[in-house]
Structures are given as C-alpha cells and as structure tokens.
Amino acid sequence: MDYRNKKILAPMVRVGTLPLRLLAAEYGADITYGEEIVDHKIIKCERRINEHLGSTDFVEKGTESVVFRTCDQEKNRVVFQIGTSNAVRALTAAQLVCNDVAAVDINMGCPKAFSLSGGMGAALLSKPELISDILTTLRRNLSLPVTCKIRLLKSPHDTVELARRIEKTGVDAIAVHGRYVLDRPRDPAKWNGIADVVSALSIPVIANGDVFEYDDFQRIKSATGMFGHIPRLSLPNKRLGSSRHIVLLVIFAFPFV
C-alpha cells in the first residue's frame, strides 16, 4: 500500500465501522481505517462468513457480538487498528485478520484513561523499547503494511528521535498528531512539530491536527511538507447528548484520539 497522495479515512471509536468506511470510499477515500480494537478483544473472536450481509464478521466466542466486520469490497483499502501493549498479542490479533484487511496500524497516540491504564495508546510513548518490539515483531511476521500513530513528546528532539527509532523498525508510514498527550482538541495543533519529523524521516509522515476544511489540506502540506493530512469534523455525539467534537481523521495522502 502506498500512502503518498491518497485520500484516507482514519478510525473513530463507535463510528468507523463498515457502513461509514464504505460511504467514505464511495466519496473518494482511497484508504479507510476501522475503529481501534484492543488486542484482548479481537483474539477472543472467531471468523465467520455472514452470507446474509455478504460480510466477514469477527464474532466474540460464546456471544453474537460482532467486534469487527468487513467485506471483499474494502479488502484492498481497509486498515485494522490495534490497541496493544504487548508484541505477542499484537501479532496474534493481526494474524487473525490479516487475510481480510489491507494493512494494520498500532495506536500510540490515544490519551484516554482506559488506554493509558492498560499501557496502550500514548502510554507507549514513554516505552521506546516496547514500541520497537511491537513494530519489529509485526514487520517480521506479516506481509501486510504496518503503520503507527504517535503524539508530540515534550521536546522536538525527543519526538524526532522516537520517530527515527520507529522508522528503523521498517514501518511503511507514521502518523503524527500535532498535540501533546495532555492537550485537548481545543488546543491548537503544533504543525511545526510535525514538520520536524517530516524533515528527519524518509518514510511517509501523516499529519494530524487542525485541518477543518478542504483548503486546510494545502496549508498544512505547505507548513509541514508531509504526505498526508487529517481534518477534524464535528459530528453529533448522541451518546453524550451533545455536539461535542469527535475526531475524524481523513488523510489526503493517509487517526480519533
């Protein structure tokens, strides 16, 4: 999979399911990311063919709960994103779905308490050895493209050094959310921090943060020199009974945290 000059839909919790991914593809998305799924959850599943829907379902054993659903129509563009803190579990999860998806991604940017308490998401940013273990294990054992997403660290030097370490694992691309772990969506994204990573790496760098409309694509591309850009849209969050922002990562050359 080539991440350069592509329009991409990235994962959103509770939203990035098959119907939205197919809709995004219909409107021009070249690559679509499923919502993040924790490794513990997917490895409890069994693969089933749903003849009624024409889909491939990964259903939690002992239940009828569909954890991940895909179909042949999106097989060449759907990316399975994993929440993990363990290389062996990450590989087990990836191997379960690898024949039905186009690529796998490791979420290393989620700042939510659930992810942090489980050593996942942004908790990985302080564990470079574990990051290398997870990504190297995936690259050595999978034929699919492997990517990951990070946030900015405390200093530009620290961010660049981590990105360089990630590049050495052989990943196909890296997404950088231009905010720190403690930042929130209302805090301005630091595009210059993304630019530092772009200038230091040779693999595609995907920019995330404060791309709200189509014209922002060119602005963030000019500001960072990256291959991909991610706009944030406002969607009604009905579960919370409000119109709070939900992050939608749509990338012009490439994810909800």
Side-chain angles (χ1 to χ4, degrees):
M1 183 181 290
D2 185 0
Y3 288 87
R4 294 171 171 84
N5 299 316
K6 300 289 179 62
K7 296 181 288 291
I8 304 169
L9 171 72
M12 291 190 301
V13 172
R14 300 188 304 275
V15 179
T17 53
L18 180 59
L20 179 65
R21 298 196 303 268
L22 292 178
L23 182 64
E26 184 178 339
Y27 280 89
D30 300 300
I31 302 171
T32 55
Y33 280 66
E35 61 180 332
E36 176 193 19
I37 297 177
V38 176
D39 53 10
H40 286 290
K41 190 76 170 178
I42 193 69
I43 61 180
K44 294 178 181 178
C45 294
E46 60 183 3
R47 182 180 183 273
R48 298 184 189 175
I49 301 299
N50 188 322
E51 300 287 354
H52 180 68
L53 295 178
S55 64
T56 300
D57 298 347
F58 291 84
V59 182
E60 187 172 4
K61 296 175 183 178
T63 75
E64 293 302 313
S65 175
V66 177
V67 175
F68 178 65
R69 170 172 286 157
T70 184
C71 66
D72 288 343
Q73 187 177 340
E74 67 166 6
K75 185 174 181 179
N76 292 328
R77 63 171 169 266
V78 64
V79 178
F80 185 81
Q81 191 189 58
I82 304 171
T84 188
S85 61
N86 179 275
V88 174
R89 285 200 309 270
L91 178 60
T92 302
Q95 289 176 326
L96 184 64
V97 302
C98 66
N99 292 324
D100 298 291
V101 301
V104 296
D105 179 82
I106 302 298
N107 187 344
M108 301 181 179
C110 182
K112 300 299 183 181
F114 172 80
S115 289
L116 297 178
S117 64
M120 302 178 293
L124 291 171
L125 297 177
S126 60
K127 301 175 181 178
E129 295 83 6
L130 179 54
I131 288 177
S132 294
D133 187 25
I134 292 171
L135 296 176
T136 300
T137 298
L138 293 178
R139 290 296 298 132
R140 287 177 176 173
N141 294 279
L142 298 175
S143 59
L144 298 177
V146 175
T147 62
C148 70
K149 180 190 172 200
I150 67 171
R151 283 188 174 229
L152 300 179
L153 301 185
K154 292 181 178 180
S155 73
H157 176 269
D158 290 344
T159 304
V160 168
E161 286 304 303
L162 177 61
R164 284 175 171 161
R165 184 163 188 160
I166 289 172
E167 182 179 35
K168 290 179 180 178
T169 67
V171 294
D172 296 84
I174 179 174
V176 181
H177 188 159
R179 290 183 172 87
Y180 302 113
V181 175
L182 295 180
D183 283 347
R184 291 297 174 259
R186 64 179 177 273
D187 298 314
K190 291 79 174 172
W191 287 1
N192 58 324
I194 301 172
D196 292 335
V197 176
V198 173
S199 63
L201 303 188
S202 59
I203 60 173
V205 175
I206 301 139
N208 175 199
D210 288 356
V211 179
F212 296 102
E213 55 190 44
Y214 193 84
D215 288 345
D216 290 335
F217 286 161
Q218 188 57 48
R219 284 193 283 272
I220 194 170
K221 185 175 183 179
S222 298
T224 66
M226 80 306 178
F227 292 100
H229 19 281
I230 301 171
R232 190 178 77 207
L233 305 182
S234 181
L235 298 176
N237 187 339
K238 294 182 179 180
R239 188 176 73 87
L240 298 177
S242 69
S243 294
R244 294 177 56 185
H245 278 130
I246 298 177
V247 178
L248 173 60
L249 310 182
V250 179
I251 46 196
F252 195 55
F254 168 48
F256 174 56
V257 292

